[in-house]
Every structure is written in C-alpha cells, then in structure tokens.
Amino acid sequence: MVRRERKHISETPATQWLRRHGVAFTEHVYDYVEHGGTAESARQLGVLEHAVVKTLVMQDEHARPLVVLMHGDRQVSTKNLARAIGCKSVLPCSAEAAQRHSGYQLGGTSPFGFKRVGVPVYVQASVLALPHIFINGGRRGFLVGVEPQVLTEVQCALPVDCAL
C-alpha cells in the first residue's frame, strides 16, 4: 500500500485550547468518510479502535447539554449514564443542537475548545487506563493523540462507568 504524505491541519479551537493549556499532542490526519466513524479513522491510522475516543454531545431531561467521551468500539448506556450523573434521563442531542452547543461540525466535534462554556464532560473510566488515546482535533478527518490524563487533569472530565 502506498501511503500519501499528510500535511499539517491548520489551527482549530481544539488545538488552540491544547496549546493554551500546555498540552503535548500529536496530529493525525485521515481521509474523512461520511458515516465511517471511529472504525474508519482507526483503520486508516493503523490504531486500535478502542483507543480512538469519540466525543458525544448529549442532553439531560431539562435539555441541558453534556459531553460523553467513549471508546470508539463501545456504546453509551444512557440509563447507566443518567444514574451515574444523577439525572432522570440522558439522550443524544440532535445534530443541530450538538453543533450549536459545541461550535463544531458533526464528525469534527472535539471536547477541547467547546463554544459553550460550562458544559460538563464525562469520560468512560476505562479510557483513563489506556496508555495513549486519539480524539477529535476539531475538524473532520483530524485526530489528536494525547495522554488520557489530560481529560481529567486539564479538561476536568469526570469518570463514569456507562459503556455497553
């Protein structure tokens, strides 16, 4: 297989946030495929899908937004998540609401540099046990590699156990 030279992605709100907070990261560009998800990015980058973390914008029963960070090869149990965070229910946001809350285009949502301030971030606890993760860098076809502790120590994500 011939590997194409990948060029640098211009700054995004996510990379600006990471730099502002002194977080070391690597850039990983891939060819975005509509509905390809984490399986496609993991395949193209040659990494385990379990280490690719998806950023999901959800809302509670009062339509208050929240972010859930989950392994690419796992799903969120909204019932377990609601129980863990003390809500009656949690549902995924519509694409329009997710974009409005985050400022990112669907498929390019990063937990870093969110448009709306004060949105709580939750991370599947087992993500924190990984040696390295790949997470959206704020643009379709662009992941950043970071140490998972960045999520709790800098992003202030709260660990939860909500994976299916």
Side-chain angles (χ1 to χ4, degrees):
M1 175 165 77
V2 175
R3 197 157 218 161
R4 281 187 281 156
E5 185 69 26
R6 307 263 187 199
K7 66 179 190 168
H8 168 75
I9 289 283
S10 61
E11 289 291 311
T12 67
T15 57
Q16 290 170 352
W17 187 95
L18 290 166
R19 290 184 206 291
R20 191 169 51 253
H21 287 85
V23 175
F25 65 94
T26 55
E27 297 180 345
H28 305 272
V29 179
Y30 64 97
D31 295 323
Y32 179 78
V33 175
E34 193 75 33
H35 305 294
T38 57
E40 182 61 26
S41 60
R43 183 190 69 74
Q44 286 189 41
L45 296 174
V47 300
L48 294 175
E49 187 180 8
H50 196 69
V52 177
V53 176
K54 52 191 170 186
T55 304
L56 304 168
V57 183
M58 300 193 160
Q59 63 185 27
D60 67 13
E61 69 274 12
H62 302 292
R64 291 181 298 224
L66 58 109
V67 173
V68 182
L69 305 175
M70 180 57 70
H71 296 283
D73 61 351
R74 304 288 299 274
Q75 299 298 314
V76 173
S77 165
T78 55
K79 184 177 178 179
N80 290 347
L81 177 61
R83 189 177 306 122
I85 66 174
C87 291
K88 288 184 180 180
S89 66
V90 174
L91 299 169
C93 282
S94 68
E96 296 80 22
Q99 188 168 341
R100 187 174 61 251
H101 295 310
S102 70
Y104 291 111
Q105 181 180 28
L106 192 66
T109 305
S110 177
F112 311 120
F114 232 59
K115 174 182 168 183
R116 187 164 173 186
V117 178
V119 175
V121 178
Y122 300 95
V123 57
Q124 170 59 36
S126 54
V127 166
L128 302 172
L130 295 171
H132 196 75
I133 60 170
F134 301 88
I135 194 162
N136 199 288
R139 181 168 293 147
R140 289 177 170 184
F142 178 51
L143 301 181
V144 292
V146 296
E147 301 299 319
Q149 291 70 29
V150 167
L151 301 175
T152 54
E153 294 172 8
V154 184
Q155 178 62 38
C156 300
L158 300 171
V160 293
D161 189 14
C162 62
L164 285 177

